[in-house]
Coordinates of all heavy atoms in Angstrom, one line a residue:
M1 N 261.6 -24.3 14.5 CA 262.3 -23.9 13.4 C 263.6 -23.1 13.8 O 263.6 -21.8 13.9 CB 261.4 -23.0 12.5 CG 260.4 -23.7 11.7 SD 259.3 -22.8 10.8 CE 260.1 -21.8 9.7
S2 N 264.6 -23.8 14.1 CA 265.8 -23.1 14.5 C 266.9 -23.3 13.5 O 267.1 -24.4 13.0 CB 266.3 -23.7 15.8 OG 266.5 -25.1 15.7
R3 N 267.5 -22.2 13.0 CA 268.4 -22.3 12.0 C 269.8 -21.8 12.5 O 269.8 -20.7 13.0 CB 268.0 -21.5 10.8 CG 267.8 -22.4 9.6 CD 267.5 -21.6 8.4 NE 268.5 -21.6 7.4 CZ 268.4 -21.1 6.2 NH1 267.3 -20.4 5.9 NH2 269.3 -21.2 5.3
S4 N 270.8 -22.5 12.4 CA 272.1 -22.0 12.9 C 273.1 -21.9 11.7 O 273.1 -22.7 10.8 CB 272.6 -23.0 13.8 OG 273.9 -22.5 14.2
N5 N 273.8 -20.8 11.7 CA 274.7 -20.5 10.6 C 276.1 -21.2 11.0 O 276.9 -21.4 10.2 CB 275.0 -19.1 10.4 CG 273.8 -18.5 9.7 OD1 273.1 -19.1 8.9 ND2 273.6 -17.2 9.9
R6 N 276.2 -21.6 12.2 CA 277.4 -22.1 12.7 C 277.3 -23.6 12.9 O 277.3 -24.1 14.0 CB 277.8 -21.6 14.0 CG 278.5 -20.2 13.8 CD 279.3 -19.9 15.0 NE 279.5 -18.5 15.1 CZ 280.3 -18.0 16.1 NH1 280.8 -18.6 17.0 NH2 280.5 -16.7 16.0
S7 N 277.0 -24.4 11.8 CA 276.9 -25.8 12.0 C 278.2 -26.4 11.8 O 278.9 -26.2 10.8 CB 275.8 -26.3 10.9 OG 276.3 -25.9 9.7
P8 N 278.6 -27.2 12.7 CA 279.9 -27.9 12.7 C 279.9 -28.8 11.4 O 278.9 -29.5 11.1 CB 280.0 -28.7 13.9 CG 278.7 -28.6 14.6 CD 277.9 -27.5 13.9
M9 N 281.1 -28.9 10.8 CA 281.2 -29.7 9.7 C 282.1 -30.9 10.0 O 283.1 -30.8 10.7 CB 281.9 -28.9 8.6 CG 281.4 -29.0 7.2 SD 282.2 -27.8 6.2 CE 283.1 -28.9 5.1
S10 N 281.7 -32.0 9.5 CA 282.4 -33.3 9.7 C 283.2 -33.6 8.5 O 282.8 -33.7 7.4 CB 281.5 -34.4 10.0 OG 280.9 -34.2 11.4
I11 N 284.5 -33.7 8.7 CA 285.4 -34.1 7.6 C 286.2 -35.4 8.0 O 286.6 -35.6 9.1 CB 286.4 -33.0 7.3 CG1 285.7 -31.6 7.2 CG2 287.3 -33.3 6.2 CD1 286.0 -30.6 8.2
G12 N 286.4 -36.2 7.0 CA 287.2 -37.3 7.2 C 288.7 -37.0 7.2 O 289.2 -36.5 6.2
C13 N 289.4 -37.5 8.2 CA 290.8 -37.2 8.2 C 291.5 -38.1 7.1 O 291.3 -39.3 7.0 CB 291.4 -37.6 9.6 SG 293.2 -37.5 9.6
P14 N 292.3 -37.4 6.2 CA 293.0 -38.1 5.1 C 294.1 -39.1 5.6 O 294.4 -40.0 4.9 CB 293.5 -37.0 4.3 CG 293.7 -35.9 5.2 CD 292.6 -36.0 6.3
A15 N 294.5 -38.8 6.8 CA 295.6 -39.7 7.3 C 295.0 -41.0 8.1 O 295.6 -42.0 7.8 CB 296.4 -38.8 8.3
C16 N 294.1 -40.8 8.8 CA 293.7 -42.0 9.6 C 292.2 -42.2 9.4 O 291.7 -43.2 10.0 CB 294.0 -41.8 11.1 SG 292.9 -40.5 11.9
N17 N 291.5 -41.4 8.7 CA 290.1 -41.7 8.3 C 289.2 -41.4 9.6 O 288.0 -41.8 9.5 CB 289.9 -43.2 7.9 CG 289.3 -43.2 6.5 OD1 289.1 -42.1 5.9 ND2 288.8 -44.4 6.1
A18 N 289.7 -40.8 10.6 CA 288.8 -40.5 11.7 C 288.0 -39.3 11.3 O 288.3 -38.6 10.4 CB 289.6 -40.2 12.9
T19 N 286.9 -39.0 12.1 CA 286.1 -37.9 11.8 C 286.6 -36.7 12.5 O 286.7 -36.7 13.7 CB 284.6 -38.2 12.2 OG1 284.2 -39.4 11.5 CG2 283.7 -37.0 11.8
V20 N 286.8 -35.6 11.8 CA 287.2 -34.4 12.3 C 286.1 -33.4 12.2 O 285.5 -33.2 11.1 CB 288.5 -33.8 11.7 CG1 289.0 -32.6 12.3 CG2 289.6 -34.9 11.6
S21 N 285.8 -32.7 13.3 CA 284.7 -31.7 13.1 C 285.3 -30.3 13.3 O 286.1 -30.0 14.1 CB 283.7 -31.9 14.3 OG 284.3 -31.8 15.5
A22 N 284.8 -29.5 12.4 CA 285.4 -28.1 12.4 C 284.2 -27.1 12.3 O 283.2 -27.5 11.6 CB 286.3 -27.9 11.2
T23 N 284.3 -26.1 13.0 CA 283.3 -25.1 12.9 C 283.6 -23.9 12.0 O 284.6 -23.3 12.2 CB 283.0 -24.5 14.3 OG1 282.7 -25.6 15.2 CG2 281.8 -23.6 14.4
L24 N 282.8 -23.7 11.0 CA 283.0 -22.6 10.1 C 282.4 -21.3 10.7 O 281.3 -21.4 11.2 CB 282.4 -22.9 8.8 CG 282.9 -24.2 8.1 CD1 282.3 -24.4 6.8 CD2 284.5 -24.2 8.0
P25 N 283.1 -20.3 10.5 CA 282.5 -19.0 11.0 C 281.3 -18.7 10.1 O 281.2 -19.0 9.0 CB 283.7 -18.0 10.7 CG 284.6 -18.7 9.8 CD 284.4 -20.1 10.0
P26 N 280.4 -18.0 10.8 CA 279.2 -17.6 10.0 C 279.4 -16.6 8.9 O 280.4 -15.8 8.9 CB 278.3 -16.9 11.1 CG 279.3 -16.4 12.1 CD 280.4 -17.4 12.1
G27 N 278.8 -16.8 7.8 CA 279.0 -15.9 6.7 C 277.9 -16.2 5.6 O 277.1 -17.0 5.7
P28 N 277.9 -15.3 4.6 CA 277.0 -15.5 3.5 C 277.2 -16.7 2.7 O 276.4 -17.2 2.0 CB 277.1 -14.2 2.7 CG 278.5 -13.8 3.0 CD 278.9 -14.3 4.4
G29 N 278.4 -17.3 2.8 CA 278.7 -18.5 2.0 C 279.4 -18.0 0.7 O 280.4 -18.7 0.3
I30 N 279.0 -17.0 0.2 CA 279.7 -16.5 -1.1 C 280.2 -15.1 -0.8 O 279.5 -14.2 -0.3 CB 278.7 -16.4 -2.2 CG1 278.2 -17.8 -2.5 CG2 279.4 -15.9 -3.5 CD1 277.0 -17.8 -3.5
V31 N 281.5 -14.9 -1.1 CA 282.1 -13.6 -0.9 C 282.2 -13.0 -2.2 O 282.9 -13.5 -3.2 CB 283.5 -13.8 -0.3 CG1 284.2 -12.5 -0.1 CG2 283.4 -14.5 1.1
E32 N 281.6 -11.9 -2.4 CA 281.6 -11.2 -3.6 C 282.8 -10.2 -3.7 O 283.1 -9.6 -2.7 CB 280.3 -10.4 -3.9 CG 279.2 -11.4 -4.2 CD 277.9 -10.7 -4.7 OE1 278.2 -9.6 -5.3 OE2 276.9 -11.2 -4.5
T33 N 283.4 -10.0 -4.8 CA 284.5 -9.1 -4.8 C 284.0 -7.7 -5.0 O 282.9 -7.5 -5.4 CB 285.4 -9.5 -6.1 OG1 284.6 -9.5 -7.3 CG2 286.1 -10.7 -5.8
E34 N 284.8 -6.7 -4.7 CA 284.4 -5.4 -4.8 C 284.5 -4.9 -6.3 O 284.9 -5.6 -7.1 CB 285.2 -4.5 -3.9 CG 285.0 -4.9 -2.4 CD 285.9 -4.0 -1.5 OE1 286.4 -3.1 -2.0 OE2 285.9 -4.3 -0.4
A35 N 284.1 -3.7 -6.4 CA 283.9 -3.1 -7.7 C 284.9 -3.7 -8.8 O 284.4 -4.4 -9.9 CB 284.2 -1.7 -7.7
E36 N 286.2 -3.6 -8.6 CA 287.1 -4.1 -9.6 C 288.0 -5.2 -9.0 O 288.9 -4.9 -8.2 CB 288.0 -3.0 -10.2 CG 287.3 -2.2 -11.1 CD 288.1 -1.2 -11.9 OE1 289.4 -1.6 -12.1 OE2 287.7 -0.2 -12.3
P37 N 287.7 -6.4 -9.3 CA 288.5 -7.5 -8.7 C 290.0 -7.5 -9.3 O 290.2 -7.4 -10.5 CB 287.8 -8.7 -9.2 CG 287.0 -8.4 -10.4 CD 286.7 -6.9 -10.2
H38 N 290.9 -7.6 -8.4 CA 292.3 -7.7 -8.8 C 292.7 -9.2 -9.0 O 292.2 -10.0 -8.2 CB 293.2 -7.1 -7.7 CG 292.9 -5.6 -7.5 ND1 293.4 -4.6 -8.3 CD2 292.1 -5.0 -6.6 CE1 292.9 -3.5 -7.9 NE2 292.1 -3.6 -6.9
P39 N 293.5 -9.4 -10.0 CA 293.9 -10.8 -10.2 C 294.5 -11.5 -9.0 O 294.4 -12.6 -8.8 CB 295.0 -10.7 -11.2 CG 294.7 -9.4 -11.9 CD 294.1 -8.5 -10.8
E40 N 295.2 -10.7 -8.1 CA 295.8 -11.3 -6.9 C 294.7 -11.7 -5.9 O 295.0 -12.5 -5.1 CB 296.8 -10.3 -6.3 CG 298.0 -10.0 -7.2 CD 298.9 -9.0 -6.6 OE1 298.6 -8.6 -5.6 OE2 299.9 -8.6 -7.3
D41 N 293.6 -11.1 -5.9 CA 292.5 -11.4 -5.0 C 291.7 -12.5 -5.3 O 290.9 -13.0 -4.7 CB 291.7 -10.2 -4.7 CG 292.5 -9.0 -4.0 OD1 293.4 -9.4 -3.4 OD2 292.1 -7.8 -4.2
E42 N 291.9 -13.0 -6.5 CA 291.1 -14.1 -7.1 C 291.2 -15.3 -6.2 O 290.2 -16.0 -6.1 CB 291.5 -14.3 -8.5 CG 290.3 -14.7 -9.4 CD 290.6 -14.9 -10.9 OE1 291.3 -13.9 -11.4 OE2 290.3 -15.9 -11.4
N43 N 292.3 -15.6 -5.8 CA 292.5 -16.8 -5.0 C 292.4 -16.6 -3.5 O 292.9 -17.4 -2.7 CB 293.9 -17.5 -5.3 CG 293.9 -18.0 -6.8 OD1 292.9 -18.4 -7.3 ND2 295.0 -17.9 -7.4
R44 N 291.8 -15.5 -3.2 CA 291.8 -15.3 -1.7 C 290.6 -16.0 -1.1 O 289.4 -15.4 -1.0 CB 291.6 -13.7 -1.5 CG 292.8 -13.1 -0.9 CD 292.7 -11.7 -0.7 NE 292.0 -11.3 0.5 CZ 291.7 -10.1 0.8 NH1 291.9 -9.1 0.0 NH2 291.1 -9.8 1.9
L45 N 290.8 -17.2 -0.7 CA 289.8 -17.9 -0.1 C 289.9 -17.8 1.5 O 291.0 -17.7 2.0 CB 289.8 -19.4 -0.5 CG 289.6 -19.6 -1.9 CD1 289.7 -21.1 -2.2 CD2 288.2 -19.1 -2.5
R46 N 288.8 -18.0 2.2 CA 289.0 -17.9 3.6 C 289.2 -19.4 4.0 O 288.7 -20.3 3.5 CB 287.7 -17.4 4.2 CG 287.4 -16.0 3.7 CD 286.0 -15.5 4.1 NE 286.0 -15.2 5.5 CZ 284.9 -15.1 6.2 NH1 283.7 -15.2 5.6 NH2 284.9 -14.8 7.5
G47 N 290.0 -19.5 5.0 CA 290.3 -20.8 5.5 C 290.3 -21.0 7.0 O 290.4 -19.9 7.7
T48 N 290.2 -22.1 7.4 CA 290.3 -22.4 8.9 C 291.1 -23.7 9.1 O 291.2 -24.5 8.2 CB 288.9 -22.5 9.4 OG1 289.0 -22.6 10.8 CG2 288.2 -23.7 8.9
D49 N 291.7 -23.8 10.2 CA 292.4 -25.0 10.5 C 291.7 -25.9 11.4 O 290.9 -25.5 12.3 CB 293.7 -24.6 11.2 CG 294.6 -23.9 10.2 OD1 294.5 -24.2 9.0 OD2 295.5 -23.2 10.7
A50 N 291.9 -27.2 11.3 CA 291.3 -28.2 12.2 C 292.3 -29.3 12.3 O 293.1 -29.6 11.5 CB 290.0 -28.7 11.5
R51 N 292.3 -29.7 13.5 CA 293.3 -30.8 13.8 C 292.6 -32.1 14.2 O 291.6 -32.1 15.0 CB 294.2 -30.4 14.9 CG 295.3 -31.4 15.2 CD 296.3 -30.9 16.1 NE 297.2 -29.9 15.5 CZ 298.3 -29.4 16.1 NH1 298.5 -29.8 17.3 NH2 298.9 -28.4 15.5
C52 N 293.1 -33.2 13.7 CA 292.5 -34.5 14.0 C 292.9 -34.8 15.4 O 294.0 -34.9 15.8 CB 293.0 -35.6 12.9 SG 292.5 -37.2 13.4
R53 N 291.8 -35.3 16.1 CA 292.1 -35.6 17.5 C 292.7 -37.0 17.6 O 293.2 -37.4 18.7 CB 290.8 -35.6 18.3 CG 290.3 -34.3 18.5 CD 288.9 -34.3 19.3 NE 288.2 -33.0 19.3 CZ 287.0 -32.9 19.8 NH1 286.4 -33.9 20.3 NH2 286.5 -31.7 19.7
N54 N 292.6 -37.8 16.6 CA 293.1 -39.1 16.6 C 294.5 -39.2 16.4 O 295.3 -39.8 17.1 CB 292.3 -40.0 15.6 CG 292.6 -41.4 15.8 OD1 292.6 -41.9 17.0 ND2 292.7 -42.2 14.8
C55 N 295.0 -38.5 15.2 CA 296.4 -38.7 14.9 C 297.2 -37.4 14.9 O 298.4 -37.3 14.7 CB 296.5 -39.4 13.5 SG 296.0 -38.3 12.2
G56 N 296.4 -36.3 15.1 CA 297.1 -35.0 15.1 C 297.3 -34.3 13.8 O 298.0 -33.3 13.6
H57 N 296.8 -35.0 12.8 CA 296.9 -34.5 11.4 C 296.3 -33.1 11.3 O 295.2 -32.9 11.8 CB 296.4 -35.4 10.4 CG 296.7 -35.1 9.0 ND1 297.9 -35.4 8.4 CD2 295.9 -34.4 8.0 CE1 297.8 -34.9 7.1 NE2 296.7 -34.4 6.9
E58 N 297.0 -32.2 10.7 CA 296.3 -30.8 10.6 C 295.7 -30.7 9.2 O 296.3 -31.0 8.2 CB 297.4 -29.8 10.7 CG 296.9 -28.6 11.5 CD 298.0 -27.7 11.9 OE1 298.7 -28.0 12.9 OE2 298.2 -26.7 11.2
L59 N 294.5 -30.2 9.3 CA 293.7 -30.0 8.0 C 293.5 -28.6 7.8 O 293.3 -27.8 8.7 CB 292.4 -30.8 8.1 CG 292.4 -32.2 8.4 CD1 291.4 -32.6 9.4 CD2 292.1 -33.0 7.1
E60 N 293.5 -28.2 6.5 CA 293.2 -26.8 6.2 C 291.9 -26.8 5.4 O 291.9 -27.5 4.4 CB 294.3 -26.2 5.4 CG 295.5 -25.8 6.3 CD 296.6 -25.1 5.5 OE1 296.3 -24.4 4.5 OE2 297.7 -25.2 5.9
L61 N 291.0 -26.0 5.9 CA 289.7 -26.0 5.1 C 289.5 -24.6 4.5 O 289.8 -23.6 5.1 CB 288.5 -26.2 6.1 CG 288.7 -27.5 7.0 CD1 287.7 -27.5 8.1 CD2 288.7 -28.7 6.2
Y62 N 289.2 -24.6 3.2 CA 288.9 -23.4 2.6 C 287.5 -23.3 2.1 O 286.9 -24.3 1.7 CB 289.8 -23.3 1.4 CG 291.3 -23.1 1.8 CD1 292.1 -24.2 1.8 CD2 291.8 -21.9 2.2 CE1 293.4 -24.1 2.2 CE2 293.1 -21.7 2.5 CZ 293.9 -22.8 2.6 OH 295.2 -22.7 3.0
F63 N 286.9 -22.2 2.2 CA 285.5 -22.0 1.8 C 285.3 -20.6 1.2 O 286.2 -19.8 1.4 CB 284.6 -22.3 2.9 CG 284.9 -21.4 4.1 CD1 284.3 -20.2 4.4 CD2 285.9 -21.8 5.0 CE1 284.6 -19.4 5.4 CE2 286.2 -21.1 6.2 CZ 285.6 -19.8 6.4
Y64 N 284.3 -20.5 0.5 CA 284.0 -19.2 -0.1 C 283.2 -18.4 0.8 O 282.3 -18.9 1.5 CB 283.2 -19.4 -1.4 CG 284.0 -20.1 -2.5 CD1 283.8 -21.5 -2.6 CD2 284.9 -19.4 -3.3 CE1 284.6 -22.2 -3.5 CE2 285.6 -20.2 -4.3 CZ 285.4 -21.5 -4.4 OH 286.2 -22.2 -5.2
Ligands
ZN1 ZN1 293.7 -38.4 11.7

């Protein structure tokens, strides 16, 4: 029974359809806002970059 929070994610490159794997940082998955959420913080998603090894296309991944 081994559970890893850092499971690599496979994404299809939109440019060449190759498989791009990106590792998401560990986290609860859901980020809760603090006491009073500000409208500007509403769109604050965490993101990471991944680059396709085949064509060099850069992907931006956003997650909660
Ligand atoms: Zn590609």
Side-chain angles (χ1 to χ4, degrees):
M1 285 175 60
S2 61
R3 240 182 119 174
S4 175
N5 286 334
R6 278 200 201 185
S7 50
M9 222 172 115
S10 291
I11 306 121
C13 174
C16 72
N17 237 9
T19 302
V20 184
S21 57
T23 306
L24 300 181
I30 299 172
V31 179
E32 290 193 28
T33 51
E34 294 181 13
E36 285 191 29
H38 299 275
E40 291 177 4
D41 291 337
E42 213 172 312
N43 290 328
R44 249 177 86 188
L45 299 180
R46 300 171 75 192
T48 186
D49 291 333
R51 184 170 289 187
C52 175
R53 286 183 196 171
N54 192 43
C55 71
H57 187 82
E58 216 169 284
L59 300 137
E60 284 186 27
L61 312 169
Y62 293 97
F63 53 95
Y64 296 95

